[in-house]
Amino acid sequence: MAQNYDVVILGGGTGGYVAAIRSAQLGLKTAIVEKGELGGTCLHKGCIPSKALLRSAEVYSTTKHHAADFGVETGEVSLDFARVQQRKQGIVDQLHAGVQGLMKKGKIDVYEGIGRILGPSIFSPNAGTISVEMKNGEENEMLIPSNVIIATGSRPRTLPGLTIDGEFVMSSDEALKMESLPKSILIVGGGVIGIEWASMLNDFGVDVTVIEYAERIIPTEDKDISKEMLKLLKKKGIKFATSAKVMADTLETGENGVTIQAEINGKNESFSAEKMLVSVGRQANVENIGIENTDIIIENGFIQVKKSFQTKESHIYAIGDVIGGLQLAHVASHEGITAIEHIKGNNPHAINYDLVSRCIYSNPEAASVGITEDQAKEKGHDVKVGKFSFKAIGKALVYGESDGFVKIIADKETNDILGVHMIGPHVTDMISEAGLAMVLDATPWEIADTIHPHPTLSEVMGEAALAVDGKAIHS
């Protein structure tokens, strides 16, 4: 028998389940259709498991290479990668159970299967229906929603000719399941995910080479951050090739691992390693969900939406990775909340994507909010810049992590903060101060006038804000 709902959400990832919770809070009868596991990519194949591995890698590297710097004698340090993976899975399982508990608390119905949008029917002449192919073999379910939210997420993209075989050539999905570490690896792609994996595997003791098509690594970040990241990762022993066009047709795999060529400055160079990780972005999951039964527009592989996240079909919304833009879990969550508020008729504020914080969880970490210095100049701003190093911050020296800096970009005429860019210890935990400052339209003076406790890493924000006007105290 068909079930009626105010909202049916296709996809139980971070965007989908957060939208479901807000929907239930607002008194809407809500269902989620999830073909995998609640929590989606972020919980099971992305944010959480990769950060758990990064933490283990950091502890291992610090203990092995720097314990003596703190006066701690450890003797021989070894790595039990099976235990590393067990710890990672334990964290994932705990959080997964938490999400399941939230669904029960909110009385949100969860259908485990593949949901497809069907055209209008006698049951639902306006909104259409959702057919759910149950993965447990049970009879298919038919759902009748007043509104639908597509939150089906994304999957790793690959390059034509670079087939993911899971043995020699991997995406991040397969890499997370490795039972043992390779001695060496080629990482194709020096964006956020590629850099996090390069840092992690290097800290685990793997010989890492990164091949990046653009002129610089993490090309969407401020040039000063890219330059500093490159310098610090090279210092750790990671090798880089930039402006490198991978020639997929030269890929060879076998007993000796992986070999491939890349064109660099008009010349072909050969690269070899035990394994290859392809990290060249993600593509939206828009197939096999019934979009062909709607008037929804897909452009460049992504669903097109309005600021309210409505598609061309006013009762169907889309959020998260399927709409492109900033493919970040925290963005999907807020898009989901905004969509639900719009469904309820609460006239929510449109999301300002320039105020979204972006994080890179490598070692060192990087984080940013707002626009880069080059973007600010391209937009016609007369900029002033404050930059302050962690080397003058006492807490950074106590931690033994004093590389990096904070950079604040402001408009000379208005004194508005245009962007804040950080690289160094725990900056992913500090970027929210900058994000809040920009939301509240604060000036560098107001950040500087905020008394930052001593000794803390956060003092670097106050000093960088003072540096915007040449008034830094400890430089």
Side-chain angles (χ1 to χ4, degrees), residues 34-57:
E34 171 55 53
K35 70 176 183 179
E37 295 178 293
L38 286 173
T41 293
C42 179
L43 178 53
H44 298 280
K45 297 180 180 180
C47 319
I48 300 302
S50 65
K51 277 53 180 181
L53 294 183
L54 277 158
R55 175 59 176 156
S56 289

Side-chain angles (χ1 to χ4, degrees), residues 259-427:
T259 299
I260 199 166
Q261 292 182 26
E263 181 183 331
I264 305 173
N265 298 323
K267 297 181 180 179
N268 293 349
E269 292 191 26
S270 183
F271 299 86
S272 298
E274 192 175 314
K275 293 186 183 294
M276 175 187 289
L277 172 63
V278 181
S279 178
V280 291
R282 299 183 65 85
Q283 65 186 83
N285 293 324
V286 295
E287 305 87 0
N288 201 30
I289 58 174
I291 287 180
E292 66 278 4
N293 299 321
T294 73
D295 291 329
I296 292 173
I297 296 172
I298 295 179
E299 196 171 289
N300 298 320
F302 298 104
I303 296 174
Q304 299 302 293
V305 295
K306 303 173 185 177
K307 289 182 179 180
S308 61
F309 303 105
Q310 286 174 297
T311 65
K312 193 174 180 183
E313 300 255 13
S314 61
H315 68 286
I316 301 178
Y317 294 67
I319 62 168
D321 288 7
V322 290
I323 66 172
L326 292 174
Q327 293 180 305
L328 302 169
H330 47 289
V331 170
S333 295
H334 279 267
E335 289 173 345
I337 290 170
T338 301
I340 291 294
E341 294 284 352
H342 190 268
I343 287 170
K344 188 66 175 176
N346 290 343
N347 194 27
H349 292 293
I351 294 175
N352 183 347
Y353 290 96
D354 284 341
L355 302 182
V356 174
S357 297
R358 308 175 297 276
C359 298
I360 305 174
Y361 297 87
S362 49
N363 182 12
E365 293 184 347
S368 59
V369 63
I371 57 178
T372 67
E373 184 175 355
D374 284 347
Q375 289 169 336
K377 291 176 179 177
E378 288 168 6
K379 289 176 179 286
H381 293 282
D382 186 9
V383 302
K384 54 182 180 178
V385 176
K387 195 173 177 183
F388 199 84
S389 172
F390 277 102
K391 284 183 168 43
I393 301 299
K395 187 67 174 291
L397 297 176
V398 169
Y399 268 14
E401 301 176 36
S402 59
D403 287 322
F405 56 83
V406 168
K407 175 180 178 180
I408 298 178
I409 303 157
D411 184 283
K412 278 186 181 178
E413 182 180 351
T414 66
N415 214 26
D416 289 336
I417 298 172
L418 304 173
V420 180
H421 306 271
M422 306 177 173
I423 181 169
H426 301 278
V427 294

Side-chain angles (χ1 to χ4, degrees), residues 84-218:
V84 169
Q85 290 284 33
Q86 287 171 11
R87 179 180 184 272
K88 175 205 78 177
Q89 193 58 46
I91 293 169
V92 170
D93 292 344
Q94 181 178 340
L95 291 172
H96 183 216
V99 175
Q100 291 174 314
L102 290 171
M103 297 300 100
K104 292 178 181 177
K105 179 182 177 181
K107 297 181 180 179
I108 298 160
D109 292 337
V110 178
Y111 293 86
E112 297 182 350
I114 298 173
R116 296 184 182 90
I117 303 170
L118 304 180
S121 69
I122 58 172
F123 300 107
S124 181
N126 296 318
T129 57
I130 302 290
S131 170
V132 183
E133 181 184 334
M134 303 297 286
K135 72 178 183 181
N136 58 9
E138 292 181 3
E139 185 177 344
N140 287 3
E141 295 278 358
M142 192 70 71
L143 313 182
I144 303 174
S146 298
N147 298 277
V148 176
I149 296 180
I150 300 172
T152 47
S154 65
R155 62 189 183 275
R157 188 188 299 276
T158 189
L159 296 174
L162 289 187
T163 303
I164 305 297
D165 60 26
E167 181 181 0
F168 296 105
V169 182
M170 305 177 291
S171 72
S172 57
D173 287 358
E174 291 77 26
L176 284 168
K177 299 176 184 176
M178 287 190 295
E179 295 181 359
S180 60
L181 291 166
K183 293 181 180 178
S184 58
I185 194 165
L186 298 175
I187 298 179
V188 178
V192 173
I193 297 174
I195 291 303
E196 287 185 355
W197 276 96
S199 172
M200 175 211 302
L201 293 172
N202 171 263
D203 280 349
F204 275 139
V206 179
D207 183 3
V208 178
T209 300
V210 177
I211 305 173
E212 167 57 40
Y213 179 78
E215 293 181 357
R216 57 190 177 93
I217 62 171
I218 45 175

